[in-house]
């Protein structure tokens, strides 16, 4: 249930309505008795953070942070160590008391309706912990009972994450990577609509990283909303629809990677393999208007320029009597965006 203030179309009196996303409400105005139809949009953010602030003694860990996450999207939350990522996640989960701000999960205020809000969330913490004296299956069944979800899911999930041979092995004997995969299974137990992942690839080998990545994409396709905090920027760039960057407790950016790159004017790089490198080629390419940088390594030519300049660069190379054997464009990376926004 969510509430919103609307204005009567006849007398302009402000009315407070309550409803659920997608619901249409017929409401008579208490002032003029005119009945109007109002709709609660399905586009209501599934996670909404408004002016969140958290202080620890004299230090402000999170400073007036606001952002929202749309239903069905994968949102990456980035920042250097100590930037406020974990504090924000703990606030979303109502694990810490905040100084000010509002957090709305699926239309529920986390401070006032925490139990209802948390019913929609699955969580993978940065440091995964289980009962080491219990087996993987016993652990998941315990959490299934807490979540009031069918225990039949447990074994299927364990097998899905490649732990079928260790289903009856005590978790205390699991490797870090195995424990991480079991933690992922626990996070999606009960099919929550919101999944919060704090460093999901921690301790995983390349095969495990790929498995988690594919699972995240699969969950999105099934309609889940995924909030990821990670230090592995290439992983975030691979799966996320949008990212938010926090630095020193302040949200400094939020957009798609392409959108942030455009705002910072970070240009793509042309990488070409040439058959031969004619004399003064670097000098001739640099003269092309719109070229920012040229680097020649052996027979590889790297040119940083905007999209409209690419064809001019190719013409300049051909006029210099060089033949291009291979060519591709390297788009701006999330690492470049991250370093610029965090002062790197």
């Amino acid at each position: 249930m969510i509430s919103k203030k609307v204005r009567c179309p006849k007398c302009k009196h402000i009315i407070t309505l309550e409803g659920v996303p997608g619901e249409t409400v017929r409401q008579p105005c208490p002032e003029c008795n005119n009945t109007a139809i109002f709709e609660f949009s399905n586009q209501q953010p599934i996670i909404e953070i408004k002016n969140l602030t958290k202080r620890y003694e004299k230090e402000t860990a999170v400073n007036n942070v606001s952002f929202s996450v749309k239903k069905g999207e994968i949102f990456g939350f980035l920042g250097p160590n100590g930037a406020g990522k974990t504090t924000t996640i703990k606030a979303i989960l109502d694990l810490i008391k905040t100084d000010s701000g509002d957090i709305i999960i699926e239309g529920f205020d986390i401070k006032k309706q925490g139990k209802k809000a948390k019913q929609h969330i699955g969580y993978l913490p940065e440091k995964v912990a289980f009962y080491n004296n219990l087996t993987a299956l016993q652990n998941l069944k315990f959490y299934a009972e807490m979540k009031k979800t069918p225990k039949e899911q447990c074994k299927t999930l364990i097998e899905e994450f490649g732990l079928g041979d260790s289903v009856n092995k005590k978790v205390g004997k699991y490797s870090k990577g195995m424990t991480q995969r079991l933690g992922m299974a626990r996070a999606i137990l009960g099919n929550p609509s919101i999944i919060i992942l704090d460093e999901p690839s921690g301790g995983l080998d390349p095969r495990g990283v790929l498995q988690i990545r594919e699972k995240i994409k699969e969950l999105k396709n099934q309609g889940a909303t995924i909030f990821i905090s990670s230090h592995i920027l290439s992983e975030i760039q691979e799966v996320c629809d949008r990212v938010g960057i926090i630095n020193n407790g302040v949200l400094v950016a939020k957009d798609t990677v392409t959108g942030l790159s455009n705002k910072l004017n970070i240009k793509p790089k042309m990488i070409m393999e040439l058959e031969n490198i004619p004399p003064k080629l670097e000098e001739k390419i640099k003269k092309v208007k719109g070229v920012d940088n040229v680097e020649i390594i052996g027979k590889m030519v790297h040119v940083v320029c905007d999209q409209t300049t690419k064809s001019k660069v190719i013409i300049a190379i051909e006029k210099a009597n060089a033949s291009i054997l291979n060519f591709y464009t390297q788009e701006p990376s999330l690492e470049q965006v991250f370093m610029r926004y965090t002062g790197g």
Side-chain angles (χ1 to χ4, degrees):
M1 185 72 69
I2 56 176
S3 62
K4 69 174 183 178
K5 294 184 183 297
V6 297
R7 192 181 297 275
C8 173
K10 185 176 181 181
C11 72
K12 309 304 180 186
H13 178 71
I14 301 296
I15 309 166
T16 300
L17 299 179
E18 288 194 342
V20 296
E23 182 182 4
T24 300
V25 177
R26 297 177 65 88
Q27 176 69 38
C29 174
E31 289 292 313
C32 68
N33 208 34
N34 173 63
T35 298
I37 299 174
F38 303 95
E39 184 177 341
F40 285 84
S41 172
N42 274 317
Q43 297 304 311
Q44 183 79 14
I46 198 165
I47 301 174
E48 194 167 9
I49 315 296
K50 299 177 183 177
N51 309 117
L52 178 65
T53 298
K54 172 61 181 175
R55 299 183 186 89
Y56 293 102
E57 296 180 353
K58 295 182 180 179
E59 180 185 353
T60 302
V62 177
N63 188 2
N64 200 35
V65 165
S66 298
F67 65 90
S68 62
V69 181
K70 302 171 188 174
K71 183 175 178 60
E73 80 170 334
I74 303 176
F75 186 88
F77 194 54
L78 311 174
N81 289 334
K85 300 189 302 296
T86 299
T87 299
T88 302
I89 289 173
K90 287 181 177 178
I92 292 172
L93 296 166
D94 198 30
L95 297 176
I96 57 172
K97 184 179 179 182
T98 57
D99 292 280
S100 61
D102 297 308
I103 299 171
I104 310 298
I105 306 291
E106 282 272 29
F108 298 105
D109 186 320
I110 194 70
K111 294 178 183 177
K112 299 175 182 176
Q113 302 161 294
K115 189 173 180 180
K116 289 183 179 179
K118 283 185 267 190
Q119 287 175 351
H120 299 276
I121 300 174
Y123 173 47
L124 174 71
E126 182 179 4
K127 295 179 181 177
V128 184
F130 288 96
Y131 294 101
N132 288 336
N133 61 325
L134 299 180
T135 68
L137 187 58
Q138 287 170 334
N139 265 286
L140 277 205
K141 283 185 175 181
F142 170 75
Y143 290 109
E145 191 171 328
M146 289 182 66
K147 286 187 172 186
K148 296 181 180 178
T149 194
K151 294 181 181 179
E152 290 74 24
Q153 273 193 10
C154 298
K155 190 173 181 181
T156 303
L157 281 173
I158 291 169
E159 291 171 347
E160 194 173 319
F161 283 95
L163 300 170
D165 294 340
S166 305
V167 66
N168 292 314
K169 184 177 181 179
K170 289 187 177 180
V171 176
K173 295 182 180 179
Y174 269 28
S175 67
K176 187 176 180 182
M178 291 169 72
T179 306
Q180 189 77 5
R181 281 183 278 159
L182 187 62
M184 189 70 184
R186 179 178 63 187
I188 66 175
L189 184 65
N191 304 310
S193 58
I194 300 169
I195 301 164
I196 297 177
L197 308 175
D198 196 354
E199 300 294 343
S201 298
L204 295 175
D205 59 21
R207 182 179 295 178
V209 171
L210 180 61
Q211 184 184 35
I212 296 298
R213 182 194 304 167
E214 293 306 311
K215 189 62 186 178
I216 288 170
K217 291 178 180 178
E218 181 187 325
L219 290 166
K220 172 187 166 68
N221 290 336
Q222 292 170 356
T225 302
I226 299 138
F227 183 98
I228 309 176
S229 175
S230 177
H231 286 100
I232 305 176
L233 301 185
S234 59
E235 197 70 16
I236 292 289
Q237 185 161 3
E238 175 71 25
V239 301
C240 288
D241 300 304
R242 289 191 304 137
V243 296
I245 300 176
I246 189 170
N247 191 37
N248 295 322
V250 177
L251 194 73
V252 293
K254 54 183 174 182
D255 204 340
T256 62
V257 175
T258 301
L260 294 178
S261 300
N262 291 339
K263 288 174 186 174
L264 294 173
N265 197 28
I266 300 176
K267 297 176 182 178
K269 180 190 286 186
M270 297 172 66
I271 300 176
M272 295 161 285
E273 181 185 0
L274 305 189
E275 186 177 358
N276 60 305
I277 303 293
K280 297 184 179 181
L281 178 64
E282 183 176 341
E283 193 177 310
K284 290 175 182 177
I285 297 173
K286 282 182 177 177
K287 287 181 180 179
V288 177
K289 189 177 180 180
V291 169
D292 282 8
N293 186 54
V294 181
E295 186 178 11
I296 298 178
I297 306 168
K299 291 188 178 181
M300 302 299 294
V301 180
H302 297 227
V303 181
V304 177
C305 64
D306 55 39
Q307 297 286 353
T308 57
T309 307
K310 285 182 180 180
S311 58
K312 297 175 185 177
V313 171
I314 292 171
I315 291 169
I317 290 172
E318 289 176 343
K319 283 184 176 180
N321 296 318
S323 298
I324 299 173
L325 299 176
N326 199 7
F327 166 93
Y328 68 94
T329 302
Q330 188 180 79
E331 294 299 329
S333 70
L334 183 54
E335 186 177 72
Q336 290 173 284
V337 171
F338 180 83
M339 294 300 286
R340 288 276 290 273
Y341 272 110
T342 57

